[in-house]
Amino acid sequence: MTTGPSPSPRNITSVDLGDADLNARISSGMADVEALLESTLTRGEPFIVEKVAHLAKAGGKRFRPMMALLASQYGTAPGCERVVKAAVIVEVVHLATLYHDDVMDEADKRRGVESANSRWGNSVAILAGDILLAHASRLMSQLDTRTVGHFADTFEELVTGQMRETVGESAGLSAVEHYMQVIREKTGVLIASAGYLGALHGGADEEIVDALYHLGGVIGVIFQIVDDMIDIFSATDDSGKTPGTDLREGVFTLPVLYALEEEGEVGDELRALLTGPLTDDAEVDRALELLRRSTGRACTMQVVQGLLDEAESYISRLPAGPATDALRALSKYTIHRVG
Ligand code: GRG
């Protein structure tokens, strides 16, 4: 469940949404998002700004603001100032979680650059994350109390997911169910928020706001599972990431959990090998080879297919049009990343 460095700053707005007019509207909205993001993150004294703007300047896909802008297309005021504010709030909260996550994971890199904790130490990285939460709160206060209340729930879920992962406990849940719950809380919830707030502030009907909230959550979960699959099954050249990073960190993601449940030689050898973080390169290579021979990939793809069906159940609640086509394509695009 690596939330580590993106290989390079890639802005997802370069993705073709399949409709020229929609592309233009989303690109223009993303330019507004970048402008507000910059003015938000450059508040305060230079010694603060340097740290707080560090990761935003390094890039990132800006997937969450794009989700908010797409969701706003269902309302009476797509891409309006309030939508842009909501989109920036979600990205700023995302940034705050990255700062804090990197401290907890002792990550060296993020978005292809040195992480804040590696560059300035843990205390500064935590404080930079806290300032980001202050900026997000200020923007929320400029919207309405419904948005503030929504974010209270979102923060609670994010931290619950992080805590669940950290303490490794979920009473009565299997290892697979625990993993699914953690990624729903850690990754799904903020993309759900992007769908919710984009639709809400774009002036969409309540049923549409609800559908986009749930759709965002499912897309987030699919995104995370696919990322985790890439860590195990892709060649370095394809993904730009080093396969097996999660195994080195002792993080067992869905394909690994399924493989560990497998009966027979492959499962036996994996169970003997995966008793904690792997430090030896040869052991990582062996574990990756066994995982590729296991049923882990097929079982995980089955879960992804189930989630795609769930996504479709929410998409079918949306009116037909270019934004709906784009959301459908986006859900399916996630699965093509694993090949
Ligand atoms: C500060 C509110 C607050 C919470 C602290 C640390 C924490 C609790 C939660 C961690 C949440 C987290 C980091 C989840 C992982 C999310 C994820 C998939 C990150 C990578 O997202 P991408 O691929 O990254 O969209 P870019 O860099 O492209 O934006």
Side-chain angles (χ1 to χ4, degrees), residues 226 229-230 233-234 238 297 301 333-339:
V226 169
M229 288 183 80
I230 289 171
F233 299 113
S234 75
D238 299 342
R297 183 189 171 101
M301 284 305 260
Y333 154 78
T334 51
I335 206 163
H336 293 308
R337 292 166 61 216
V338 258

Side-chain angles (χ1 to χ4, degrees), residues 3 6 60-61 64 91 94 96-98 100-101 104 110-111 133 155 158-159 162 186-187 224:
T3 57
S6 315
K61 294 183 284 299
R64 292 155 191 81
E91 183 68 12
H94 169 56
T97 70
L98 298 183
H100 286 189
D101 197 50
M104 283 181 259
R110 169 69 73 178
R111 292 183 163 177
L133 292 177
F155 284 146
L158 278 168
V159 177
Q162 184 63 42
K186 277 189 64 174
T187 307
Q224 185 66 64

Side-chain angles (χ1 to χ4, degrees), residues 69-335:
L69 286 171
L70 267 175
S72 81
Q73 304 301 313
Y74 295 92
T76 47
C80 69
E81 201 183 327
R82 292 170 70 80
V83 167
V84 171
K85 238 171 223 180
V88 170
I89 291 169
V90 180
E91 183 68 12
V92 171
V93 171
H94 169 56
L95 282 164
T97 70
L98 298 183
Y99 278 77
H100 286 189
D101 197 50
D102 287 346
V103 169
M104 283 181 259
D105 288 353
E106 299 175 25
D108 298 331
K109 287 199 140 197
R110 169 69 73 178
R111 292 183 163 177
V113 299
E114 210 180 352
S115 63
N117 45 297
S118 160
R119 179 124 164 219
W120 293 290
N122 283 350
S123 299
V124 167
I126 292 167
L127 293 166
D130 292 344
I131 298 237
L132 286 161
L133 292 177
H135 290 334
S137 307
R138 184 178 308 101
L139 290 171
M140 283 174 218
S141 78
Q142 294 164 12
L143 290 172
D144 50 26
T145 49
R146 181 166 170 185
T147 302
V148 178
H150 171 79
F151 259 102
D153 295 340
T154 300
F155 284 146
E156 188 177 11
E157 277 196 78
L158 278 168
V159 177
T160 300
Q162 184 63 42
M163 185 88 88
R164 195 186 301 282
E165 185 176 40
T166 303
V167 302
E169 265 178 37
S170 290
L173 297 190
S174 68
V176 165
E177 287 164 344
H178 170 90
Y179 165 94
M180 292 298 291
Q181 184 65 11
V182 166
I183 65 172
R184 258 192 291 275
E185 290 163 337
K186 277 189 64 174
T187 307
V189 75
L190 208 44
I191 301 174
S193 269
Y196 178 89
L197 291 177
L200 178 71
H201 293 293
D205 292 343
E206 290 295 337
E207 318 84 76
I208 301 288
V209 174
D210 185 69
L212 285 159
Y213 172 74
H214 287 102
L215 177 62
V218 177
I219 290 179
V221 169
I222 297 174
F223 231 80
Q224 185 66 64
I225 294 176
V226 169
D227 241 36
D228 293 347
M229 288 183 80
I230 289 171
D231 185 62
I232 305 283
F233 299 113
S234 75
T236 315
D237 296 356
D238 299 342
S239 69
K241 294 184 184 176
T242 314
T245 305
D246 287 334
L247 296 176
R248 288 176 202 275
E249 291 173 1
V251 176
F252 299 161
T253 55
L254 203 50
V256 182
L257 295 175
Y258 279 123
L260 284 171
E261 283 176 358
E262 191 171 310
E263 287 186 13
E265 271 175 40
V266 168
D268 286 343
E269 194 177 336
L270 275 170
R271 277 184 289 278
L273 198 56
L274 297 179
T275 52
L278 294 183
T279 45
D280 183 73
D281 284 349
E283 281 185 346
V284 174
D285 288 347
R286 179 67 185 154
L288 290 174
E289 190 192 323
L290 290 165
L291 287 165
R292 286 180 189 124
R293 279 167 42 197
S294 77
T295 54
R297 183 189 171 101
C299 293
T300 306
M301 284 305 260
Q302 245 182 339
V303 172
V304 172
Q305 191 50 58
L307 289 163
L308 282 172
D309 293 345
E310 196 183 336
E312 186 53 42
S313 76
Y314 297 119
I315 292 171
S316 67
R317 284 162 54 181
L318 302 172
T324 301
D325 294 342
L327 284 167
R328 186 173 281 119
L330 203 63
S331 315
K332 292 197 179 137
Y333 154 78
T334 51
I335 206 163

